[in-house]
Amino acid sequence: MSEEDAGPGEWPVLVRVPVEPVEAAMEADALDAAARHSALAVRGPLFGVAAQDRDRDQDGGRRWRVAVEVTHGCPQQARDALNSLLWFRAKDEAKSRQERRALLAAVARLENEDVDELTVLDTRYRVVRAEEYAAIDAQGGIETPRPTDPEPLTPDWSSGAGARSPRVDEGLVLDPDAPVSPLQAAERVALRPLAYSGTSFPGPVLADSARAVESHPDVLLMPAAFLIVERTGNGPWSPGSGLQATAHDARRTLDFALTWMEPRTRGLIPYDADRTVDARRPAPGNTEAAVAELKEFAQAADRLRASRCDEVEAHGTVYRIARSRRLLRWGPDGPEGPRPSDISTHAPAVLHPRLDEDGTVRVDDPAGDEPTS
């Protein structure tokens, strides 16, 4: 039976039994997490761009690499990111006018069309769609980071321009033929039939989801990412940040939100105050009530710094570091692209100044001018 004819449960999965101590610890960690979290909450799709270099994959392999992180909320955001990637490559990396011309032609298409796949200089780019989900326990709690999830040896709590964080999906290779651990294999096979259901979804969304199980019967599990979720009272959990590569990066984002952003949002610190003014270092002259509110935010942030703390509460809101998972559906021709029912928030547009074929930025040229030869 060929892969084109295989159903959701028939694509082979290569399993590798963990033998190294670190791998064995991660597998034991995953087993404990599976016992604690018996259900999944599906948040919805995320989009990015995968690339396949034809000259590097002549052995017929199915490997792709992530060119634009799979974190974007709609297909057009991923297309825009690809537009910028190719524009800066034309500006800074092209080695000849011919190479720059090919890159600029691709940019021109992305400025005017809903392009989900194109080939540029022997590299095939595809906008890809991942499903984001999280594990939940019997009480509806979202899974927090696991002990074996990567953490920096020395936590860096700096924010702003001085902060250094790994990018989500940086250097990630997508290979459905790579060996996985037994629990990863079990999760992968179990999620192959995953499709939307229920009356809350429009008919076209349900139809596209069911069709994807047949057209892309395999799934590939991406590395875990992390984000802030928050809940007030008995309300639902809601996302409070974008995805981060490590749990510490999410904690650092939360530290900044509690000490800098929340006080300004609530009017406890003026937006035009000096950047160094925050809940830990308030400006003089605050009222006693404002000082008390700022102190509660600062104490919650201090608990984050004291240890690998994944949940704090301030002013009636619980903030949690959540462990997010993503899966890519995979078919005979590679990862799934956007579905017809996926909606973009905006149309294609010109994002950068015009470049000519010599790499000169033409800031004063009208947006519709062609690059000069």
Side-chain angles (χ1 to χ4, degrees):
M1 176 184 295
S2 67
E3 288 177 344
E4 288 82 354
D5 300 325
E10 297 166 336
W11 278 42
V13 178
L14 181 60
V15 179
R16 181 192 70 248
V17 177
V19 292
E20 297 294 332
V22 173
E23 290 181 325
M26 293 176 67
E27 187 75 350
D29 213 2
L31 183 61
D32 290 342
R36 291 192 305 269
H37 303 88
S38 56
L40 299 178
V42 178
R43 181 182 174 191
L46 293 172
F47 301 88
V49 177
Q52 190 175 52
D53 302 310
R54 297 188 183 224
D55 59 341
R56 298 180 184 177
D57 201 23
Q58 296 177 350
D59 59 353
R62 298 192 293 154
R63 292 181 299 276
W64 293 63
R65 58 180 172 83
V66 174
V68 170
E69 61 272 16
V70 188
T71 60
H72 296 277
C74 73
Q76 189 56 46
Q77 290 176 350
R79 297 183 198 114
D80 289 346
L82 177 59
N83 180 329
S84 292
L85 178 75
L86 297 178
W87 188 90
F88 280 104
R89 184 176 168 190
K91 175 178 174 289
D92 300 328
E93 301 176 20
K95 297 179 175 58
S96 66
R97 299 179 78 196
Q98 181 180 7
E99 185 175 324
R100 188 172 290 110
R101 188 183 301 122
L103 291 163
L104 292 175
V107 168
R109 285 194 62 194
L110 288 162
E111 291 173 343
N112 294 281
E113 304 175 35
D114 295 334
V115 182
D116 290 329
E117 183 161 332
L118 73 168
T119 298
V120 188
L121 299 173
D122 293 327
T123 297
R124 182 185 185 189
Y125 295 95
R126 176 181 295 176
V127 177
V128 296
R129 180 191 199 277
E131 205 72 65
E132 185 185 11
Y133 64 102
I136 56 175
D137 59 25
Q139 289 74 43
I142 300 177
E143 183 182 13
T144 56
R146 299 173 183 174
T148 49
D149 285 329
E151 298 273 6
L153 293 176
T154 304
D156 175 12
W157 292 99
S158 60
S159 59
R164 292 291 180 267
S165 302
R167 295 176 63 89
V168 177
D169 300 334
E170 185 172 4
L172 180 62
V173 174
L174 306 171
D175 185 1
D177 299 319
V180 294
S181 74
L183 280 175
Q184 289 172 332
E187 182 178 0
R188 180 170 161 181
V189 172
L191 290 175
R192 283 176 174 177
L194 178 68
Y196 296 155
S197 62
T199 57
S200 62
F201 293 99
V205 173
L206 294 173
D208 283 349
S209 183
R211 192 178 301 114
V213 175
E214 301 301 324
S215 63
H216 295 79
D218 197 9
V219 299
L220 184 146
L221 305 180
M222 302 182 71
F226 305 88
L227 75 158
I228 303 164
V229 295
E230 53 190 63
R231 179 171 68 179
T232 301
N234 294 320
W237 291 101
S238 60
S241 75
L243 293 184
Q244 306 286 337
T246 71
H248 175 71
D249 289 304
R251 293 188 200 104
R252 180 168 61 182
T253 300
L254 179 54
D255 178 89
F256 177 77
L258 291 172
T259 60
W260 199 95
M261 185 57 70
E262 282 289 342
R264 283 166 170 77
T265 301
R266 293 175 180 237
L268 302 172
I269 297 176
Y271 272 105
D272 59 357
D274 187 274
R275 181 173 176 80
T276 60
V277 175
D278 61 19
R280 292 189 178 97
R281 297 171 291 272
N286 284 344
T287 65
E288 186 175 336
V291 170
E293 289 190 61
L294 290 170
K295 183 177 180 180
E296 185 167 346
F297 278 125
Q299 289 174 337
D302 288 343
R303 289 195 292 275
L304 285 174
R305 294 195 177 198
S307 62
R308 290 183 180 180
C309 180
D310 292 321
E311 183 173 302
V312 295
E313 182 174 355
H315 297 295
T317 297
V318 176
Y319 302 89
R320 175 177 289 189
I321 307 303
R323 190 178 198 270
S324 171
R325 306 193 217 173
R326 294 165 295 161
L327 66 85
L328 281 167
R329 298 210 71 92
W330 206 277
D333 192 40
E336 181 187 16
R339 299 172 184 173
S341 56
D342 290 327
I343 298 173
S344 285
T345 58
H346 58 285
V350 175
L351 304 179
H352 301 283
R354 292 297 175 187
L355 278 177
D356 67 20
E357 292 178 354
D358 294 314
T360 302
V361 179
R362 300 293 186 181
V363 178
D364 297 330
D365 282 357
D369 284 1
E370 293 296 324
T372 57
S373 58

